[in-house]
Amino acid sequence: QAFFRSNLSLLLERVGSGKESLSFMRRRMRRLAAQWAAAARRLDERLRGHYREQKRILVHVGFLTEESGDVFSPKVLKGGPLGEMVQWADILTTLHVLGHNLKISLSVKELQGSLGVPPGRGSCPLIGPLPFDLIYTDYHGLQQMKQHMGLSFRQHRCHIRVIDTFGTEPAYNNEEYATLNGYRTNWGYWNLNCKQYMTMFPHTPDNSFMGFVTEELNQTERLMIQRDKVNNMAVVYGKEASMWKGKEKLLSILHRYMDIHGTVYYEAQRPPEVPAFVRNHGLLPQQELQQLLRKAKLFLGFGFPYEGPAPLEAIANGCVFLQPKFSPPRSSVNHEFFRGKPTSREVSSQHPYTEQYIGKPHVITVDFNNSQEFETAVQDILKDKVEPFIPSEYTCEGMLERVNAYIQHQDFCRHSSPFPTANDSRSWPGNPPSPFLQLPNSTALIWAPNITAPACWPPRSALRLFLSLEDSSCVKTCQDAGLICEPAFFPFINSIEAFSGLNAQCESLEAEKNHVFPAIHVDRRECFQQKEPLLFSCAGVSAKHQRLCPCRDYIHGQVALCRDCL
Ligand code: UDP
């Protein structure tokens, strides 16, 4: 059984030091220790009576290994991507606080030692059972494991969880399909269950949302913020001078109304090229950045970096986040930064999560090419009074709750095909009895089968079946119904019964490998089941098809979990 831990000393010892990246993580862990302990107490209280199994967990942080070049550590003091460091620090703390048996590996040698592969044996398969229930790593680590576990990698990969900032969609993950259909990238095609990829924000529900935490305020700090907020103070989001390039016009508009502060890294001999009216503090330690944000009214994004932690920190400290809308949205198809990433996700602004899940008055998203719109937004922000806000999924308690649910319930090693596919010897056409019932006053169908299927998480009682419009993904279809797409339910709706429940009037039914199936061809009324379970995809879209979409409810502020998921 796992017991909550409120003391982080053992964890801090294991993380070690010596590299700037590790020191950054340790500082963060120490600073948030009290917050984690309080959250653990509250969650422990709420979960009383739930048995929690203690797992043996290996955390192999691939990008910090010398073998992958460890490109990050030298950049920590220069404003390099700190978001990853924030997330790994929080993941390690979560696993520790949840009471699991944790081993941390930061080199290939440690990885080999942990897995029981003798050094120098290259790709010799690991002998005997895997000594861990779960392995958390990243794409670099995945590659290293494949190299050093030999054949046993295939056998054990269901235990792996990949920390993957931007997400990996099913079409890119399935090797054969990606290769044949132009979805092959440098990252994807690992043939994992896509829920094994864990993202920084809840992008597509095809992946699991891991997240990170935002520092919370106590009552005294809230009062201090109210007292000390400087109404005309703005902080610009951007640790590197390149992020400020070409923004002079916007800065000069903003400067008419507000004092502008920056935290741009610079070397003593070469101050960064930011306008003279900007007060640049240089890259600040996280704690000092928090203090700056507590005073500021506005946090201004210039469009890059995408989807980092800083806007959530600013909103948590009572700032309004003003950011540019991207029109057309940016994606791997039209934008260099996203090119080669294993996702077709369309990024509608610098930080779509804050735009969609938080919104006004905390987040204002406007077209920055329209100076008038920008100026009006600044004027409105000066008039508004905004309270600090953190979505519960970004609090320590929220993260502990979510990751605990994953650890206790997600199992990708169990092979089960709970539902018959077109290959089963069922006759068609015909009108089989449907296990789906119409919900009163709704277009949704609920699952009420009279056949027994293996247990599933999330529980099947949460399933609501919808038919999408053409050219619409299941992500959008479920969202429009106030629900979220749940890929774990696809096997239950990949059936003749689901089509007939939706009154699809199929001219024919076939099973094929296609990441938008199950679906109906709009013109030809042909119905298609999915033949390859790895291709079940919430994200998939096709102009010619209406998709069958499995949706479920979610807890407000904890989108990863349904009401009966705990
Ligand atoms: N940060 C910092 N000092 C600064 C600016 C940023 O410590 O002067 C931290 C910030 O608190 C945040 C992290 O850097 O948690 C990541 O910031 P960002 O959102 O820019 O994401 P990134 O692009 O680094 O992943």
Side-chain angles (χ1 to χ4, degrees):
Q1 182 159 6
F3 296 100
F4 281 98
R5 296 191 187 104
S6 51
N7 188 329
L8 300 190
S9 353
L10 189 64
L11 174 67
L12 289 164
E13 208 176 286
R14 296 225 170 120
V15 169
S17 54
K19 278 184 182 184
E20 208 38 61
S21 47
L22 302 181
S23 307
F24 179 91
M25 289 202 259
R26 281 163 57 102
R27 278 197 299 275
R28 178 172 176 83
M29 288 169 174
R30 267 206 214 97
R31 207 173 57 250
L32 274 71
Q35 195 171 312
W36 283 109
R41 267 196 307 278
R42 286 194 298 269
L43 187 62
D44 193 10
E45 225 15 71
R46 284 207 285 130
L47 294 182
R48 276 280 146 81
H50 289 240
Y51 174 80
R52 297 190 308 112
E53 194 181 325
Q54 189 188 41
K55 307 274 184 179
R56 299 161 303 161
I57 301 180
L58 172 67
V59 180
H60 176 64
V61 192
F63 79 96
L64 290 181
T65 61
E66 297 297 336
E67 290 84 354
S68 77
D70 185 13
V71 285
F72 277 16
S73 294
K75 286 193 189 166
V76 169
L77 292 177
K78 300 185 179 183
L82 299 177
E84 272 85 352
M85 238 66 86
V86 165
Q87 198 189 19
W88 277 105
D90 295 350
I91 292 169
L92 285 166
T93 316
T94 299
L95 300 173
H96 171 83
V97 170
L98 286 174
H100 296 291
N101 190 341
L102 205 58
K103 180 134 202 168
I104 303 170
S105 145
L106 297 165
S107 70
V108 168
K109 206 166 142 205
E110 283 173 296
L111 174 70
Q112 287 176 318
S114 304
L115 293 174
V117 179
R121 292 266 305 270
S123 63
C124 275
L126 151 78
I127 302 153
L130 187 72
F132 298 99
D133 302 305
L134 283 167
I135 302 177
Y136 289 82
T137 191
D138 53 14
Y139 266 123
H140 293 281
L142 201 57
Q143 189 67 50
Q144 291 167 345
M145 271 186 242
K146 187 176 175 193
Q147 221 164 22
H148 295 279
M149 283 165 82
L151 289 176
S152 51
F153 176 78
R154 250 182 105 84
Q155 184 192 339
H156 296 306
R157 68 183 165 189
C158 60
H159 297 275
I160 298 174
R161 306 291 182 264
V162 185
I163 305 305
D164 170 13
T165 308
F166 296 97
T168 298
E169 290 175 10
Y172 296 80
N173 167 63
N174 183 237
E175 180 171 15
E176 184 195 43
Y177 190 75
T179 310
L180 292 174
N181 296 281
Y183 292 107
R184 198 169 164 130
T185 65
N186 284 339
W187 303 104
Y189 66 89
W190 286 89
N191 292 316
L192 300 180
N193 180 317
C194 272
K195 279 278 182 190
Q196 289 174 260
Y197 299 104
M198 308 190 101
T199 54
M200 190 131 176
F201 289 93
H203 301 313
T204 168
D206 292 307
N207 303 140
S208 298
F209 158 48
M210 167 57 83
F212 58 93
V213 307
T214 308
E215 294 186 51
E216 290 160 58
L217 303 170
N218 59 32
Q219 206 44 38
T220 329
E221 287 164 334
R222 275 185 171 263
L223 288 173
M224 272 165 59
I225 287 192
Q226 268 178 10
R227 198 190 59 200
D228 298 342
K229 255 300 160 223
V230 181
N231 200 43
N232 67 341
M233 172 173 165
V235 175
V236 170
Y237 180 17
K239 314 181 232 84
E240 291 170 26
S242 60
M243 298 167 184
W244 296 57
K245 283 246 156 64
K247 309 297 178 205
E248 294 75 12
K249 188 166 168 208
L250 293 173
L251 283 166
S252 70
I253 296 174
L254 180 62
H255 183 52
R256 276 187 231 145
Y257 299 91
M258 298 180 109
D259 292 334
I260 305 175
H261 295 244
T263 62
V264 186
Y265 167 77
Y266 66 94
E267 278 161 25
Q269 313 85 318
R270 265 195 318 135
E273 290 159 33
V274 295
F277 54 76
V278 173
R279 176 133 186 250
N280 185 30
H281 300 260
L283 188 74
L284 290 176
Q286 268 201 316
Q287 195 168 12
E288 288 176 37
L289 176 68
Q290 301 286 328
Q291 299 306 327
L292 196 67
L293 293 172
R294 280 177 196 183
K295 283 170 94 183
K297 179 73 181 288
L298 166 65
F299 190 59
L300 174 65
F302 276 144
F304 194 83
Y306 303 115
E307 308 183 308
L312 286 184
E313 294 167 3
I315 296 162
N317 284 301
C319 298
V320 176
F321 177 47
L322 175 59
Q323 62 159 349
K325 187 196 284 303
F326 296 150
S327 182
R330 296 180 185 173
S331 72
S332 52
V333 177
N334 66 7
H335 197 71
E336 205 43 55
F337 178 85
F338 293 105
R339 195 152 292 152
K341 298 216 166 24
T343 166
S344 306
R345 189 166 59 92
E346 297 198 322
V347 179
S348 54
S349 58
Q350 179 171 7
H351 208 293
Y353 174 85
T354 58
E355 181 190 1
Q356 288 157 22
Y357 286 83
I358 303 180
K360 285 183 179 166
H362 308 279
V363 182
I364 314 281
T365 307
V366 298
D367 176 5
F368 276 23
N369 293 322
N370 181 335
S371 316
Q372 189 52 53
E373 221 178 280
F374 177 79
E375 186 162 354
T376 309
V378 173
Q379 289 165 340
D380 289 347
I381 289 165
L382 282 169
K383 280 184 239 142
D384 269 357
K385 191 172 174 323
V386 177
E387 294 288 321
F389 175 72
I390 306 181
S392 16
E393 54 206 1
Y394 282 96
T395 62
C396 292
E397 190 176 344
M399 182 156 177
L400 288 169
E401 177 186 54
R402 179 172 64 249
V403 177
N404 177 61
Y406 292 152
I407 292 178
Q408 298 302 324
H409 298 293
Q410 284 184 332
D411 180 356
F412 306 114
C413 297
R414 209 180 40 202
H415 295 287
S416 63
S417 165
F419 212 91
T421 69
N423 294 338
D424 291 313
S425 54
R426 284 169 179 248
S427 57
W428 184 267
N431 214 3
S434 171
F436 292 94
L437 300 175
Q438 180 86 48
L439 272 178
N441 309 323
S442 161
T443 47
L445 297 180
I446 59 163
W447 166 255
N450 54 6
I451 60 161
T452 45
C456 147
W457 188 85
R460 259 163 300 153
S461 53
L463 168 58
R464 301 286 177 271
L465 171 62
F466 282 81
L467 187 62
S468 81
L469 298 173
E470 58 216 66
D471 210 5
S472 189
S473 70
C474 288
V475 175
K476 170 134 192 347
T477 304
C478 297
Q479 222 165 46
D480 290 349
L483 300 167
I484 185 159
C485 176
E486 177 48 71
F489 291 155
F490 268 114
F492 305 114
I493 66 155
N494 190 33
S495 70
I496 299 166
E497 288 85 349
F499 285 105
S500 65
L502 288 164
N503 203 13
Q505 297 176 352
C506 309
E507 290 288 330
S508 62
L509 178 77
E510 273 173 64
E512 282 183 18
K513 294 180 184 179
N514 186 316
H515 72 289
V516 301
F517 293 167
I520 306 165
H521 192 286
V522 250
D523 304 327
R524 302 201 293 264
R525 302 309 302 170
E526 290 163 345
C527 295
F528 292 97
Q529 284 174 280
Q530 178 60 262
K531 205 172 172 181
E532 170 51 67
L534 287 181
L535 288 175
F536 284 131
S537 163
C538 291
V541 189
S542 155
K544 296 193 196 108
H545 293 90
Q546 283 187 277
R547 306 195 50 203
L548 273 58
C549 297
C551 311
R552 66 158 165 85
D553 65 273
Y554 59 86
I555 300 173
H556 188 69
Q558 183 67 286
V559 71
L561 303 179
C562 64
R563 281 194 287 270
D564 294 331
C565 276
L566 289 177

